[in-house]
Amino acid sequence: MASRDGPMVSGTDGSDFVHRETVAPHYQISALNKGRLRKCVFSHLLLALLMLIKMVPDILDRLDIFILEIEELEVPQPLKWEYIWLVGSLASFLGLTAIRKNRVMLLQIYFGLVNLLSTVPILLAAMIYFKEFAEYCTEDEPQGLQLWQGYPISVLWYSFILVAMQVHIFTLIFAWKLIYAWKNRGATKKVQ
């Protein structure tokens, strides 16, 4: 092989590359979306770590462990959707396994779990905090907002919701593309 700036093979102008082998499109799609999905999964796990840190006071209370410094933070009690969302983040490990082994069925299960246990609770949280968030955004001096450390809880949750929704939407898009590519891979093998 010649280098880019090196001598050209005699008898050719360099435009005869069409006959060379190329990577099949479904492999290109698979490689690209595997990397993207992996980044989304790790982003989801980072968000889960944030949620777990937020829920530490409640977990310690349930275990009858008292730590004064944590109790003084006065973190609001978690709602049910927070527990569901946190459990849903465990599906990330199923997604990583599906990516590593190229398993369509595992990825389809992961797709369903992300929809059910991650996206739905986040949408529910958006509905729960919508009234307070809209009031905070539209009124000059909103009254009766729940505060934590001087910040409106609804604004803090909407910050989390915005990031989490983006992660979940991109996760679903990349998982869908992988499912489609992997299913087509099997169809082309059967035809040949």
Side-chain angles (χ1 to χ4, degrees):
M1 281 209 127
S3 64
R4 283 190 171 173
D5 299 327
M8 188 70 64
V9 177
S10 62
T12 182
D13 61 353
S15 63
D16 60 344
F17 62 88
V18 180
H19 70 282
R20 296 182 189 157
E21 292 183 17
T22 58
V23 177
H26 60 271
Y27 290 120
Q28 290 174 341
I29 292 170
S30 179
L32 178 66
N33 288 304
K34 272 183 171 183
R36 290 176 174 173
L37 183 58
R38 203 172 278 121
K39 289 175 186 171
C40 287
V41 167
F42 287 122
S43 299
H44 190 169
L45 290 173
L46 284 174
L47 289 171
L49 181 63
L50 281 174
M51 181 70 82
L52 186 63
I53 290 170
K54 188 259 182 207
M55 295 174 77
V56 163
D58 186 60
I59 294 169
L60 291 177
D61 282 347
R62 290 174 188 265
L63 298 173
D64 287 331
I65 299 173
F66 182 80
I67 300 174
L68 182 63
E69 291 81 12
I70 293 176
E71 294 295 327
E72 287 176 347
L73 291 175
E74 297 178 3
V75 177
Q77 290 288 5
L79 301 176
K80 288 182 183 178
W81 74 265
E82 296 174 54
Y83 285 109
I84 294 169
W85 187 87
L86 193 60
V87 168
S89 64
L90 295 176
S92 298
F93 298 108
L94 182 67
L96 290 173
T97 303
I99 292 169
R100 191 174 65 248
K101 296 184 178 184
N102 290 356
R103 299 284 171 91
V104 176
M105 182 59 89
L106 286 178
L107 198 59
Q108 288 173 331
I109 293 169
Y110 171 68
F111 186 88
L113 288 175
V114 166
N115 261 327
L116 183 65
L117 299 176
S118 296
T119 308
V120 171
I122 286 293
L123 289 174
L124 179 66
M127 289 186 282
I128 290 170
Y129 295 107
F130 179 76
K131 183 179 177 185
E132 279 191 36
F133 183 73
E135 186 178 318
Y136 177 79
C137 291
T138 56
E139 294 184 15
D140 291 336
E141 292 185 27
Q143 299 294 321
L145 295 180
Q146 292 179 344
L147 298 176
W148 180 72
Q149 304 290 329
Y151 299 104
I153 290 176
S154 60
V155 174
L156 296 173
W157 274 122
Y158 259 84
S159 301
F160 179 83
I161 289 166
L162 180 67
V163 174
M165 252 342 259
Q166 288 179 3
V167 168
H168 297 326
I169 288 170
F170 285 124
T171 297
L172 294 173
I173 289 170
F174 300 141
W176 183 259
K177 286 183 178 184
L178 280 173
I179 290 167
Y180 183 75
W182 292 349
K183 280 188 172 183
N184 281 346
R185 175 193 63 198
T188 56
K189 285 182 180 179
K190 291 177 184 175
V191 170
Q192 295 173 350

